[in-house]
């Protein structure tokens, strides 16, 4: 099948366009003085979105803090591929916590620094979606509730990749994982489950919540920069495709991340004190099919025949995001108003689609 051409708007990367920009407009990575928080030699898969996201996020945080930064890292791919003991790719003080307590460890580091009068040193906690939205969630909520001075970054690849692609609370509906196989009458992950960590973070009314993708690295850097200019609890949720777990080509990582945004599957926004303050508009709205097709985890939606009803449910979730966040710029953004199925097939509370694949 021929794929529609995707326009590339990003100029702040290694792409040739970056070198055509004025130096002050270039991305962090283009600078010879970049902080290089994570160096080569790590063992991430080719095209790993998590490695890319972490490198840009922590480089930006290093730059924002003048290198006075400590990171606590939950167990998961990011920890395993970067730090096979006794080696490490990290170029900053970096602690491996347990799978479920990175936010608490980060809080402890911040408290110790405060006790020592070293509040010039800042703290980042980070982990995958499993470590963040599932097992680490109580620690994260506590960190938010106390408004601890930590930036927590979740790298969301939508499953437990490090242990073999098991479903997490961030796995989207219909996706095949090893614990949600593509079998039976409703193959893949069930509709109506899971959670949106960014929205729950916002409900804590912490100073700053943002989402980003590895398709827009300048945006990711800017959000880290903003986060580091603020004191208190901050949360950044980064969409990071995983070629191994998603059954996608390594070369498609950026393209898939861009499609997630352009279809409305993954809304990119910023919120201050519980209120959405900015959204990245969709430039050219695409049907969710364009996002689903290149990924093996959704192959059962297209073979042996196209599962139109399931794809329509996923589209309804994307439309809901578009409407809820005003991603198209209009008042309602899309036809989500017409109403679609809710969690149990009933209409959503507001007459729009319910939890069938809205923001995760
Ligand atoms: C208490 C506990 N349970 C299970 C594990 C095994 N474990 C290590 S990493 C991981 C999955 C990590 O998934 P995620 O946080 O999404 O990170 P990813 O590998 O996808 O980046 C699991 C289940 C563990 N280390 N500790
Ligand atoms: S399994 Fe996925 S998240 Fe883990 S290193 Fe490979 S691409 Fe990255
Ligand atoms: Mg994960």
């Amino acid at each position: 099948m021929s794929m529609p051409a995707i326009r590339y708007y990003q100029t702040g990367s290694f792409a040739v366009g970056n070198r055509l920009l004025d130096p002050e407009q270039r991305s962090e990575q283009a600078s010879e003085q970049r902080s290089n928080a994570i160096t080569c030699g790590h063992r991430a898969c080719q095209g790993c979105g998590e490695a890319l996201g972490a490198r840009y996020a922590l480089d930006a945080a290093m730059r924002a803090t003048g290198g006075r930064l400590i990171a606590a890292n939950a167990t998961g791919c990011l920890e395993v591929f970067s730090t096979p003991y006794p080696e490490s790719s990290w170029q900053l003080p970096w602690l491996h916590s347990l799978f479920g307590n990175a936010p608490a460890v980060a809080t402890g580091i911040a408290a110790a620094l405060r006790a020592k009068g070293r509040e010039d040193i800042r703290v980042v906690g980070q982990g995958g979606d499993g470590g963040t939205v599932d097992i680490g969630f109580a620690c994260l909520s506590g960190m938010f509730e106390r408004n601890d001075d930590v930036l927590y970054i979740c790298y969301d690849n939508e499953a437990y990749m490090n242990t073999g692609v098991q479903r997490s609370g961030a796995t989207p509906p219909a996706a095949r994982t090893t614990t949600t196989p593509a079998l039976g009458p409703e193959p893949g992950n069930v509709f109506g489950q899971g959670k949106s960590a960014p929205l729950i973070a916002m409900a804590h009314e912490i100073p700053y919540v943002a989402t980003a993708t590895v398709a827009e690295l300048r945006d990711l850097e800017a959000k880290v920069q903003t986060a580091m200019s603020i004191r208190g609890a901050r949360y950044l949720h980064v969409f990071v495709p995983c070629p191994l777990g998603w059954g996608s080509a390594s070369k498609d990582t950026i393209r898939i991340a861009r499609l997630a945004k352009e279809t409305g599957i993954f809304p990119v926004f910023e919120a201050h004190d519980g209120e959405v303050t900015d959204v990245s508009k969709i430039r050219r709205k695409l049907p969710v099919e364009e996002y689903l097709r290149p990924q093996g985890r959704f192959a059962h939606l297209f073979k042996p025949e196209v599962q139109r009803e399931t794809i329509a449910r996923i589209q309804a979730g994307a439309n809901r995001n578009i409407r809820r966040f005003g991603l198209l710029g209009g008042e309602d953004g899309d036809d989500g108003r017409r109403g679609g199925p809710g969690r149990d097939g009933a209409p959503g509370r507001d007459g729009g689609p319910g939890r069938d694949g809205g923001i995760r």
Side-chain angles (χ1 to χ4, degrees), residues 50 75-78 99 127-132 135 157 159-163:
E50 191 163 86
T75 310
C77 265
L78 183 59
F99 184 28
D129 51 295
T132 305
I135 191 169
N157 53 23
Y160 293 25
M161 298 311 180
N162 178 53
T163 42

Side-chain angles (χ1 to χ4, degrees), residues 253-284:
T253 292
I254 301 297
R255 177 170 158 251
I256 289 173
R258 182 170 284 110
L259 285 166
K261 187 213 149 196
E262 294 294 298
T263 52
I265 289 271
F266 186 83
V268 178
F269 65 92
E270 270 184 311
H272 289 83
D273 303 314
E275 304 263 357
V276 175
T277 48
D278 198 13
V279 300
S280 293
K281 300 283 185 190
I282 290 173
R283 291 170 173 128
R284 187 167 65 100

